[in-house]
Amino acid sequence: MPELNLCLLPGDGIGPEVTDAAMAVLGAAGQRFGFTCRTQTQLIGGAALRAANSPLPDATRAAVTAVQAVLLGAVGAPEFDREPPARKPETGLLGLRKLLGCWANLRPLRRIPGAGTTPVREEIVAGTDLIVLRELTGGLYFGEPRGFSSNRQEAFNTLRYTVTEIERLARFGFGLARQRRHHLTSVDKANVLEVSQLWREVFNRVALDYPDVTLDHMYVDNCAMQLILRPTFFDVLATANLFGDILSDETGVLAGSLGLLPSASLGGAVGLYEPVHGSAPDLAGKGVANPVGAILSAAMLLRHSFQLEAPAAAIEHAVTAALQAGVRTRDLAAPGTAAVSTAAMTQAIIARL
Ligand code: IPM
Ligand code: MN
């Protein structure tokens, strides 16, 4: 029986609750499909700052590089909002992505009919099935120089990409499109930014190796609009780090809630899996958080780090079945209708495995 060697990083806010839910589902899937999980839990983010004075302590760094995959809850805590970068929870997450070399971030969205209310009309979102492929270890998030001028009258960040970074993401995107509907949309701001002009050149050159995939280019401002107007246009949407961060929150609206969206961060030896949502401090500790993003992240972990397609698909089907049966956490419930707890949602999914 395969044993999956995992590191859990529950993190902040609702992170511990949704990580517990995902582990419960992994445990149930393991019993049914014949695998076990060996887990160790480590600190990250605000929890790590409080306990070890670092958002990514050495013990965590050592642990995540010694396992096969990492499942993360969320990072972010308001008490650190005004602290310098070294004392911000988010710095721990960015450091983790960099440490693991996870440059390819997959954020899939498949609209489940009727799952969650969305301000976008059902006939527009119906059938939406797309993946945001976000570059995760470069761009504006990591570019140097960065900082404040000495008198704090100026601040600066650097947007920088190398051909190597763009090309590996492009090849990943074309490969992904090939397994799907053979349509790749590269999103940039090439009417203004040199970086985006290089980005376009590289995508066009790589496209010659994938003649069976249709490539189109879209400006990011237009893309923000097209995602709402005609989301079914998109298959694979490849973009830079900051643009992908922004556009993937928008896909949360199409899904019905950001709480439904999972992600996988790939490219290095160890895969990192985390829900797209944040730490939601206002919901923390109340048992009301939506665990689906974390549970679907666990399904992605089975698929991408362990090639366990059958249990991954079973978890995804169980989530769809629970949502279609009308089981709703607070974020999904229509105003005035009943909502279930994190634990009840998790049990509803396990019952359908
Ligand atoms: C995300 C988050 C992170 C990001 C934050 C918490 C640093 O918003 O994963 O989308 O900006 O990448
Ligand atoms: Mn984000």
Side-chain angles (χ1 to χ4, degrees):
M1 181 174 324
E3 186 184 58
L4 320 187
N5 195 3
L6 309 179
C7 182
L8 305 183
L9 303 175
D12 301 321
I14 61 172
E17 296 160 65
V18 300
T19 311
D20 280 354
M23 285 315 301
V25 173
L26 275 184
Q31 280 180 6
R32 173 159 163 210
F33 289 90
F35 64 85
T36 57
C37 298
R38 174 147 53 102
T39 62
Q40 55 170 304
T41 302
Q42 295 288 344
L43 294 165
I44 192 167
L49 276 162
R50 270 178 236 117
N53 206 32
S54 159
L56 187 63
D58 287 342
T60 303
R61 300 175 73 94
V64 294
T65 44
V67 293
Q68 295 164 289
V70 177
L71 185 65
L72 183 140
V75 300
E79 69 193 86
F80 301 102
D81 277 357
R82 305 174 72 85
E83 300 273 341
R87 288 196 42 84
K88 272 200 185 304
E90 289 79 2
T91 304
L93 179 55
L94 300 183
L96 175 68
R97 291 169 176 171
K98 198 75 171 177
L99 175 68
L100 297 180
C102 296
W103 47 267
N105 179 223
L106 277 68
R107 299 188 160 187
L109 157 66
R110 205 174 292 139
R111 170 73 188 169
I112 299 167
T117 52
T118 167
V120 183
R121 289 199 304 278
E122 187 70 46
E123 69 257 34
I124 290 178
V125 293
T128 300
D129 180 1
L130 61 84
I131 296 189
V132 175
L133 172 62
R134 170 186 176 192
E135 199 291 323
L136 204 61
T137 55
L140 205 49
Y141 273 54
F142 291 94
E144 297 283 348
R146 61 186 293 165
F148 291 93
S149 66
S150 52
N151 65 0
R152 249 186 128 82
Q153 293 307 296
E154 195 182 346
F156 47 95
N157 291 91
T158 302
L159 176 58
R160 185 186 289 271
Y161 270 115
T162 65
V163 168
T164 307
E165 289 173 301
I166 302 168
E167 181 165 344
R168 69 185 177 186
L169 191 82
R171 291 198 182 278
F172 197 104
F174 279 104
L176 206 58
R178 215 169 230 182
Q179 295 162 28
R180 296 170 48 93
R181 302 195 305 280
H182 296 248
H183 179 199
L184 178 63
T185 303
S186 170
V187 175
D188 64 36
K189 189 68 185 173
N191 51 346
V192 177
L193 303 174
E194 283 81 359
V195 169
S196 289
Q197 287 159 20
L198 184 66
W199 182 278
R200 247 180 217 218
E201 280 168 35
V202 173
F203 269 74
N204 283 334
R205 181 163 52 72
V206 172
L208 301 175
D209 293 340
Y210 299 83
D212 53 319
V213 175
T214 305
L215 170 69
D216 40 47
H217 301 279
M218 197 180 274
Y219 295 139
V220 62
D221 48 352
N222 182 35
C223 180
M225 187 170 67
Q226 296 304 328
L227 271 173
I228 299 296
L229 288 177
R230 43 169 193 154
T232 54
F233 169 82
F234 296 94
D235 178 11
V236 178
L237 187 171
T239 194
N241 202 341
L242 179 68
F243 296 158
D245 178 45
I246 297 167
L247 295 174
S248 60
D249 268 38
E250 204 181 347
T251 63
V253 174
L254 302 172
S257 167
L258 196 55
L260 292 172
L261 297 186
S263 86
S265 303
L266 310 173
V270 179
L272 169 64
Y273 301 86
E274 49 174 312
V276 175
H277 65 70
S279 58
D282 50 318
L283 301 183
K286 297 183 180 158
V288 298
N290 187 346
V292 168
I295 290 168
L296 291 177
S297 297
M300 294 187 88
L301 176 152
L302 295 175
R303 173 175 296 126
H304 294 286
S305 282
F306 299 98
Q307 287 70 50
L308 290 172
E309 177 57 33
I315 291 172
E316 289 163 353
H317 283 128
V319 165
T320 300
L323 290 171
Q324 290 189 327
V327 187
R328 300 268 182 275
T329 42
R330 192 199 270 188
D331 54 315
L332 296 170
T337 67
V340 305
S341 66
T342 307
M345 177 61 107
T346 306
Q347 284 312 312
I349 292 165
I350 289 174
R352 290 168 174 83
L353 258 181

